[in-house]
């Protein structure tokens, strides 16, 4: 599989800023956390249950010359936002960049087979948690800050039926993004969503990495002729976190490699 692995030079354009990346220990979240660290931010790496993966991410950030700390909170449960911010406050005195990345897809399930319990869990983790994490984080987020929500290309390209419930959770995130941008503009806080397509992560490993046919099909969907990798999404997030994006807010950024053309 052709991939993009080149690391950009460290510009330190986020020096002096503190970031929190939910779900920052693996996949897209880890790539974003590492990129923000290389750009100079002090990064809070949130994780749900895998402390080893979170520590590995923090160690990688520090090995590249950055600073990081870990934040544990199991999302989708009562008190998740409160627990997250309590853990964060013990290690930081404010926030400049919030990346709502943590999410689950629930697997590929036909609409007729989605259970109420599975539906509720998807919305609890993917929609309710970022809403209340953000709500409770606004008192910590400094003026001129950045909120970056990870959406999905499925909300614009039309979801496969077996990912309908998942796509609905991300559709809610799109509305959240556009509306919150209007609410926070007076504080010079921008709010944007980055929408990946299929990305080569553990979440997609069971069908993508195991099938040359699947890899070929996904690659063919992009004019760039390859499957996306986490660093592709991290680059977009780094732009949205930077001062360069100060005039961009309320936007849904297509990061599908052109697959929606």
């Amino acid at each position: 599989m052709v991939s993009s692995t080149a690391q950009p030079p460290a510009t330190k354009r986020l020096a002096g800023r503190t970031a929190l990346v939910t779900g920052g220990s693996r996949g897209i979240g880890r790539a974003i956390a590492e990129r923000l660290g290389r750009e100079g931010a002090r990064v809070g790496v949130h994780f749900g249950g895998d402390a080893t993966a979170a520590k590995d991410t923090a160690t990688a950030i520090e090995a590249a010359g950055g600073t990081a700390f870990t934040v544990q909170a199991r999302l989708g449960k009562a008190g998740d936002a409160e627990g997250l911010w309590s853990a964060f406050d013990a290690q930081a005195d404010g926030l400049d960049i919030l990346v709502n990345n943590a999410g689950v897809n629930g697997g590929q399930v036909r609409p007729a087979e989605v259970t109420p319990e599975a539906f509720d869990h998807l919305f609890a983790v993917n929609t309710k948690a970022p809403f209340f994490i953000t709500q409770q984080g606004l008192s910590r987020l400094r003026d001129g800050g950045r909120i970056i929500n990870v959406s999905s290309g499925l909300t614009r390209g039309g979801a496969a039926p077996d990912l309908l419930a998942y796509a609905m959770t991300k559709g809610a995130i799109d509305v959240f993004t556009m509306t919150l941008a209007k609410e926070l503009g007076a504080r010079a806080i921008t709010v944007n969503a980055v929408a990946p397509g299929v990305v080569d992560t553990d979440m997609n490993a069971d069908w993508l990495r195991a099938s040359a046919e699947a890899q070929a099909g996904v690659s063919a969907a992009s004019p760039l002729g390859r499957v996306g990798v986490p660093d592709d999404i991290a680059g977009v997030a780094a732009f949205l976190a930077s001062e360069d994006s100060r005039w961009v807010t309320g936007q849904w950024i297509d990061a599908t490699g052109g697959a929606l053309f």
Side-chain angles (χ1 to χ4, degrees), residues 167-199:
M168 290 172 64
T169 69
K170 294 300 187 176
I173 289 297
D174 293 350
V175 175
F176 177 57
T177 298
M178 292 183 289
T179 307
L180 196 62
K182 297 178 181 179
E183 176 75 8
L184 299 180
R187 293 180 55 192
I189 294 171
T190 66
V191 187
N192 292 287
V194 55
V198 177
V199 178

Side-chain angles (χ1 to χ4, degrees), residues 15-43:
R17 300 185 187 182
T18 299
L20 174 66
V21 181
T22 69
S25 65
R26 299 171 62 187
I28 291 172
R30 175 168 180 161
I32 292 174
E34 291 189 9
R35 177 64 182 268
L36 298 185
R38 289 199 304 275
E39 299 260 4
R42 180 173 185 247
V43 184

Side-chain angles (χ1 to χ4, degrees), residues 191-210:
V191 187
N192 292 287
V194 55
V198 177
V199 178
D200 185 10
T201 65
D202 290 345
M203 182 181 287
N204 295 320
D206 59 342
W207 67 275
L208 180 61
R209 296 178 184 171

